[in-house]
Amino acid sequence: MPSLRQSKAPVYEALLKYKSMRVVPFDVPGHKQGRGNPELTEFLGEKCLSVDVNSMKPLDNLGHPVSVIKEGEELAAEAFGAHHAFFMVNGTTSAVQAMVMSACKLGEKIIMPRNVHRSAINALIISGAIPVYVNPGVNKELGIPLGMSVADVRKAIKENPDAKAILVNNPTYYGICSDLKTITELAHEHSMLVLVDEAHGTHFYFGENMPISAMAAGADMAAVSMHKTGGSLTQSSFLLIGKRLNVGRVRHMINLTQTTSASYLLLSSLDISRRNLALNGQRIFDKALYLANYGRDEVNKLGGYYAFGKELNNGDSVYDFDCTKLSIHTRDIGLAGIEVYDILRDDYGIQIEFGDIGNILAIISVGDRALALERLVSALAEIKRRYQRDKAGMFDHEYINPVVVMGPQQAFYAQQRSLPIQESKGKVSGEFVMAYPPGIPILAPGEKITEDIIDYIAYSKAKGCFLTGTEDMDIENIKVVEE
């Protein structure tokens, strides 16, 4: 049972009180509670604009909270089973950056899987930390990266005893979970911190029969995208902290990159959503799990598609599976995931989370309904009937093991020149190439450009993946490090 305190939402309550006082604003923002921008007020609503306000004594200050935000953080920590929780309004990107910068200084090592989100590699560029990549296992039939095996983590620790931390994706975009508890215990035995990119794992803290959460596993820090599956506004997240960390130092690191003009719309959405999950989370995620399992069963009855789940579990690189993820393999109907993604949106008015070379992902969470799942399944059945073709000649892998030549920061700031991607084989990349979403780099600064990578980029473009990362907006040219 949640504590009675969890029925409180101090930031939200303070905003309601502020609104009732009918304060005359001579501060920012300049729209003055919406009166200065009637079009925006009509679009977003007077209620929204009236509480889009600046930090002030009654509303506290995110960079140095002493009252209502401080209380909101304490309630969030209690709800998530953490020692401390930070409200994050620059997205989980800033939470991941704060984790890495809190754990590692310039030149210090951090062990991590290569299939991390771009935000983690950006954190290396900012901090100057040196990655020790553990290549995840790969399911060759599905073409997806898995989790980190305990044996591979143990080997990385043995070869790099001076590493300061281990970063774990849990779950991955596809729902794959590593053996987080064992990895955490192993890291702590060697005096290393454990940082968890838990962007897609908010529901682990509140649902039943879920994979273990980062805090329950004893991790030191976890970046949680409350907006992804917890119901808060886009760009709002929590950074959770265990007892081994200095809370004040972590706040200093957060304040290096987080805005000094925190949005109270985002803050109050975190506050309200935390209260909702603390009070009703088990019921909410029981429903989400039921809907996802229903969708998985119905998709698998169609034939041709494969909506995968816990049957992938192998006790190691797939230690557990997040069954709220409706991950569907599409290659057996002769269509790339991105092709199915585009058809669903353009022909059926259905927007899913992402499509890659061989798979699509539908996120099932607090706001989903059975009717919507039925519509998705019906659309997939019709797409199979209308578009199915021979899968011969399709690209058969997703994850390519990188060849790391230099640290990301060194490569990013090195002297560079631009080359056509097709002519860049053997060079060292000075920038990223990635499909977004999910934002996991195909190529990152400091990595050798191989023929496999060039082919993968060309195939992704041909199939319609949205590629980003290079200065060249057409993704025809790439900056390489001068030799």
Side-chain angles (χ1 to χ4, degrees):
M1 287 289 291
S3 76
L4 293 175
R5 288 195 336 131
Q6 288 297 328
S7 62
K8 297 186 67 180
V11 179
Y12 165 65
E13 291 158 10
L15 281 170
L16 290 180
K17 184 177 179 182
Y18 166 83
K19 189 175 178 182
S20 71
M21 293 167 63
R22 302 177 69 85
V23 171
V24 179
F26 285 101
D27 61 350
V28 297
H31 61 67
K32 306 290 179 172
Q33 299 174 357
R35 288 186 291 273
N37 196 336
E39 280 186 310
L40 188 62
T41 304
E42 183 181 359
F43 179 57
L44 294 180
E46 182 275 332
K47 283 187 178 180
C48 175
L49 271 291
S50 69
V51 291
D52 180 35
V53 293
N54 193 28
S55 296
M56 60 188 76
K57 278 192 176 180
L59 297 180
D60 210 353
N61 185 293
L62 182 60
H64 191 92
V66 295
S67 59
V68 294
I69 294 177
K70 181 175 183 285
E71 186 181 359
E73 290 183 341
E74 289 168 354
L75 288 168
E78 179 183 271
F80 283 84
H83 176 61
H84 190 80
F86 293 98
F87 283 16
M88 306 298 294
V89 295
N90 281 26
T92 308
T93 289
S94 63
V96 170
Q97 290 172 351
M99 288 199 304
V100 174
M101 292 191 296
S102 296
C104 302
K105 299 187 184 75
L106 176 69
E108 292 181 337
K109 295 177 184 175
I110 178 169
I111 297 167
M112 61 170 63
R114 174 55 182 77
N115 60 321
V116 289
H117 189 266
R118 175 183 180 169
S119 58
I121 299 178
N122 280 348
L124 303 178
I125 292 171
I126 294 168
S127 67
I130 304 299
V132 175
Y133 289 129
V134 174
N135 285 318
V138 177
N139 182 305
K140 292 182 179 178
E141 288 72 32
L142 300 177
I144 63 170
L146 306 176
M148 290 194 291
S149 77
V150 172
D152 286 344
V153 171
R154 185 178 283 112
K155 180 173 182 284
I157 290 173
K158 185 177 179 180
E159 292 174 355
N160 301 274
D162 54 340
K164 299 298 180 182
I166 298 176
L167 188 146
V168 186
N169 292 340
N170 210 69
T172 69
Y173 240 110
Y174 301 96
I176 306 294
C177 298
S178 301
D179 185 355
L180 187 57
K181 194 168 193 306
T182 300
I183 290 171
T184 298
E185 291 168 353
L186 190 59
H188 287 170
E189 286 171 13
H190 293 83
S191 301
M192 297 178 189
L193 296 173
V194 176
L195 322 178
V196 183
D197 182 345
E198 207 168 26
H200 284 267
T202 302
H203 46 293
F204 290 3
Y205 291 89
F206 303 99
E208 284 196 316
N209 302 314
M210 297 283 180
I212 192 170
S213 69
M215 290 296 105
D220 300 293
M221 305 178 81
V224 178
S225 284
M226 190 70 165
H227 68 93
K228 284 187 169 70
T229 59
S232 66
L233 290 178
T234 295
Q235 204 176 306
S236 59
S237 299
F238 285 121
L239 177 56
L240 307 178
I241 306 295
K243 290 182 179 179
R244 293 158 57 98
L245 271 292
N246 180 318
V247 171
R249 174 172 167 76
V250 175
R251 193 182 298 281
H252 277 312
M253 292 300 169
I254 291 169
N255 287 342
L256 286 176
T257 58
Q258 182 152 257
T259 179
T260 56
S261 302
S263 165
Y264 278 87
L265 301 178
L266 299 181
L267 293 174
S268 60
S269 82
L270 283 169
D271 207 26
I272 294 166
S273 300
R274 179 272 312 155
R275 179 175 69 177
N276 184 35
L277 295 188
L279 300 178
N280 307 303
Q282 183 177 325
R283 175 181 57 79
I284 287 168
F285 292 120
D286 279 352
K287 177 188 171 188
L289 195 55
Y290 168 80
L291 289 175
N293 284 331
Y294 166 76
R296 187 174 293 107
D297 290 343
E298 292 300 305
V299 168
N300 284 332
K301 288 175 186 175
L302 298 176
Y305 298 103
Y306 174 32
F308 46 93
K310 281 185 179 286
E311 71 280 357
L312 296 184
N313 289 6
N314 60 22
D316 192 14
S317 59
V318 189
Y319 186 76
D320 207 346
F321 186 84
D322 174 13
C323 288
T324 68
K325 300 285 187 297
L326 186 52
S327 301
I328 304 169
H329 187 62
T330 66
R331 195 181 290 129
D332 286 344
I333 65 166
L335 293 176
I338 188 63
E339 291 175 305
V340 176
Y341 170 98
D342 286 339
I343 294 167
L344 282 169
R345 183 194 59 245
D346 296 342
D347 294 0
Y348 296 92
I350 296 173
Q351 181 63 58
I352 56 173
E353 176 66 14
F354 80 85
D356 58 27
I357 299 303
N359 305 276
I360 59 173
L361 171 66
I363 298 283
I364 312 298
S365 192
V366 297
D368 285 291
R369 301 168 297 158
L371 188 64
L373 262 295
E374 290 167 5
R375 186 173 162 189
L376 173 61
V377 173
S378 296
L380 289 172
E382 196 167 315
I383 288 169
K384 180 191 170 190
R385 180 178 61 80
R386 292 174 60 194
Y387 296 100
Q388 184 170 12
R389 58 181 182 241
D390 193 321
K391 68 175 183 177
M394 294 191 71
F395 213 77
D396 64 353
H397 63 279
E398 302 268 343
Y399 178 75
I400 299 170
N401 289 340
V403 179
V404 181
V405 177
M406 62 179 66
Q409 187 186 66
Q410 182 187 357
F412 187 82
Y413 289 110
Q415 284 291 113
Q416 300 175 357
R417 62 191 175 98
S418 183
L419 276 181
I421 290 175
Q422 292 297 324
E423 299 173 16
S424 64
K425 179 182 173 182
K427 304 296 183 184
V428 177
S429 179
E431 51 188 355
F432 291 96
V433 180
M434 74 201 86
Y436 196 90
I440 297 168
I442 300 165
L443 190 62
E447 295 174 4
K448 182 172 284 190
I449 304 169
T450 64
E451 191 168 345
D452 277 350
I453 288 170
I454 292 170
D455 290 346
Y456 185 92
I457 292 169
Y459 188 84
S460 298
K461 288 180 70 175
K463 290 296 182 183
C465 290
F466 181 68
L467 297 182
T468 70
T470 57
E471 282 186 19
D472 175 14
M473 297 296 284
D474 296 322
I475 323 290
E476 298 289 346
N477 301 290
I478 189 166
K479 290 286 192 71
V480 300
V481 174
E482 288 275 23
E483 296 174 357

